[in-house]
Amino acid sequence: MKRVYNFSAGPSALPLPVLERAAAEMLDVNGTGQSIMEVSHRSKDFVPIIENAETLLRFLMGIPSNYKVLFLQGGASLQFSMLALNLAGVEKGALQKKASYIETGVWSQKAAEEGAKYVEPIIRSSSKDRGFTYIPEAPVPDQSDAFYHITLNNTIVGTKWSKLPKTGAVPLVADVSSCILSEPLDVSQFGLIYAGAQKNLGPAGVTLVIIREDLIGGAPSWTPGMLRYDIHVKEGSMYNTPPCHGIYIIGLVLEWLNNLGGVEAAAQLNREKAELFYSYLENSKCFRSPVEKPYRSLMNIPFVPIDTDPNRRKALETRFVKEAAEAGLVNLGGHRLVGGMRASIYNAMPKAGVEALIRFMEQFEKKEG
Ligand SMILES: *Cc1c(COP(=O)(O)O)cnc(C)c1O
């Protein structure tokens, strides 16, 4: 069997012990004589699995009791619409509400674009002027704004918020798809957070939503049932068939994380891994980080050639990604919208993977002269 170091931004590497356990339980989960994919979601065999995932998540993240946890579908992308609809949607003919958005990259732009179908988005600040390589100042919102949306970690450009904006009474809403469980997060600072599972939580197909209770129930009457938080809350994420297999794998990932020592321990490791890689980049003669220092992500680390000649640059990138893959270091190409290279080093990436990447890059540099 061959396993590589997978630096993909998502779907991304899962912890090996999780995959091994899932493989061992493939034909018989918890002594049921069935695969998790064959078990009824309403049965006594599945209910403990979803309950266990929620309990572990609440414990690991310290989720306060006045927040609900939902396992939904549709990805983070559906939340762009769903959160705006539920938090700020109005009855037909009524005047649209406003909401604050901070523009820090493609995902935050998409959130505002989709949100705009249900709310008037006010872009309070943006880092577009310098190619999204930093996190801008976050102005205090108008206190009548329905919510204040940020992308906590910007997966494509590799920036992260290290200090949360002060929003007063306006609920802070955050896309945490690529940083959930990477560092401690004070959930009580947020009205709602959401994450597609396929980066740091589990497989694609599950979307996690954590919502403060007082924000539930505001969807306009014309909202489709599948898009209403109140219905999903009332039905315990089982309004319809939930993504059972994905929720099961999330449970295994959370158990693995708990055994590792929880979010604090993961954060310590993540800081070590990121520091190793950033300090390598600082000293490299061939590559550099395009991101301004105070805003660098722990999870997604883009890097670009120092050489500024566009043709030599492109050739070097192509060579790098190809030779790295041959050395068992895969998915190092940058996002198709920004180019360059990117190493995504989520919780499941061991320190040895980052060390192997650095060794490879040192040799690559020597060879390139
Ligand atoms: C990957 C990603 C998304 C898109 O997630 P889908 O689940 O594919 O819709 C949105 N926001 C961020 C920050 C992401 O990293």
Side-chain angles (χ1 to χ4, degrees):
M1 186 190 64
K2 175 182 140 193
R3 292 282 300 170
V4 294
Y5 286 122
N6 178 7
F7 295 90
S8 167
S12 37
L14 285 163
L16 189 58
V18 167
L19 296 175
E20 284 170 341
R21 170 133 172 231
E25 295 181 348
M26 177 59 95
L27 302 182
D28 178 5
V29 66
N30 299 333
T32 60
Q34 304 158 68
S35 160
I36 181 65
M37 288 178 277
E38 303 168 302
V39 165
S40 160
H41 60 292
R42 308 240 177 243
S43 71
K44 63 171 180 17
D45 298 319
F46 183 69
V47 172
I49 286 175
I50 190 168
E51 284 177 354
N52 175 56
E54 176 172 343
T55 304
L56 264 169
L57 189 76
R58 282 186 175 277
F59 171 70
L60 288 166
M61 291 185 71
I63 301 173
S65 59
N66 62 324
Y67 285 73
K68 297 292 186 200
V69 173
L70 295 172
F71 298 98
L72 306 178
Q73 302 189 55
S77 298
L78 183 58
Q79 292 309 306
F80 300 160
S81 316
M82 194 163 163
L83 72 90
L85 179 53
N86 280 261
L87 268 43
V90 292
E91 294 302 332
K92 291 213 165 86
L95 201 66
Q96 232 180 21
K97 294 181 186 172
K98 293 182 175 151
S100 295
Y101 283 84
I102 308 294
E103 186 184 47
T104 53
V106 170
W107 295 121
S108 66
Q109 288 175 318
K110 288 207 166 149
E113 257 167 51
E114 284 301 293
K117 291 165 187 171
Y118 309 107
V119 67
E120 186 186 334
I122 310 293
I123 308 296
R124 298 268 170 214
S125 66
S126 171
S127 52
K128 196 174 178 182
D129 58 343
R130 299 206 294 276
F132 298 121
T133 54
Y134 69 105
I135 298 290
E137 284 299 316
V140 174
D142 200 298
Q143 289 302 298
S144 62
D145 282 1
F147 58 85
Y148 193 103
H149 183 279
I150 62 170
T151 309
L152 199 62
N153 182 79
N154 294 277
T155 323
I156 297 173
V157 287
T159 60
K160 73 155 185 164
W161 291 76
S162 43
K163 202 168 109 245
L164 296 178
K166 296 222 179 330
T167 63
V170 177
L172 181 60
V173 170
D175 181 349
V176 299
S177 293
S178 50
C179 59
I180 187 165
L181 296 171
S182 65
E183 287 184 287
L185 188 67
D186 180 0
V187 176
S188 72
Q189 299 296 305
F190 298 87
L192 183 153
I193 63 182
Y194 63 98
Q198 69 275 18
K199 275 111 191 201
N200 215 12
L201 269 180
V206 189
T207 314
L208 180 75
V209 173
I210 302 172
I211 181 171
R212 207 173 64 210
E213 277 168 356
D214 61 288
L215 298 174
I216 300 164
S221 58
W222 49 269
T223 307
M226 271 299 282
L227 300 185
R228 295 180 65 121
Y229 291 133
D230 55 352
I231 289 189
H232 288 292
V233 165
K234 185 163 154 279
E235 302 292 337
S237 299
M238 291 210 237
Y239 170 59
N240 68 327
T241 315
C244 302
H245 179 260
I247 293 167
Y248 157 78
I249 299 283
I250 289 176
L252 298 188
V253 170
L254 296 176
E255 277 181 38
W256 168 81
L257 187 64
N258 195 27
N259 290 337
L260 204 79
V263 178
E264 225 10 291
Q268 179 61 33
L269 242 167
N270 288 331
R271 286 185 210 113
E272 284 171 26
K273 290 184 306 187
E275 220 158 275
L276 262 182
F277 196 59
Y278 282 120
S279 63
Y280 159 72
L281 288 177
E282 285 302 306
N283 298 313
S284 170
K285 303 214 162 31
C286 197
F287 304 105
R288 66 178 180 88
S289 160
V291 175
E292 296 178 26
K293 250 189 189 160
Y295 312 105
R296 290 177 176 176
S297 168
L298 293 183
M299 298 279 95
N300 311 99
I301 308 188
F303 52 100
V304 292
I306 289 173
D307 192 340
T308 52
D309 176 82
N311 290 328
R312 279 204 308 268
R313 229 176 127 117
K314 187 82 214 101
L316 182 97
E317 289 175 9
T318 308
R319 223 160 39 242
F320 178 86
V321 171
K322 179 172 169 284
E323 289 177 21
E326 285 162 6
L329 307 162
V330 307
N331 294 322
L332 282 160
H335 191 277
R336 62 197 153 80
L337 293 175
V338 295
M341 278 82 63
R342 173 179 51 175
S344 293
I345 51 173
Y346 299 112
N347 288 353
M349 174 59 66
K351 197 167 165 185
V354 177
E355 288 165 346
L357 175 59
I358 293 173
R359 269 198 310 277
F360 171 80
M361 289 174 75
E362 285 168 347
Q363 281 164 9
F364 185 85
E365 275 192 49
K366 267 199 204 118
K367 189 167 61 69
E368 295 285 318

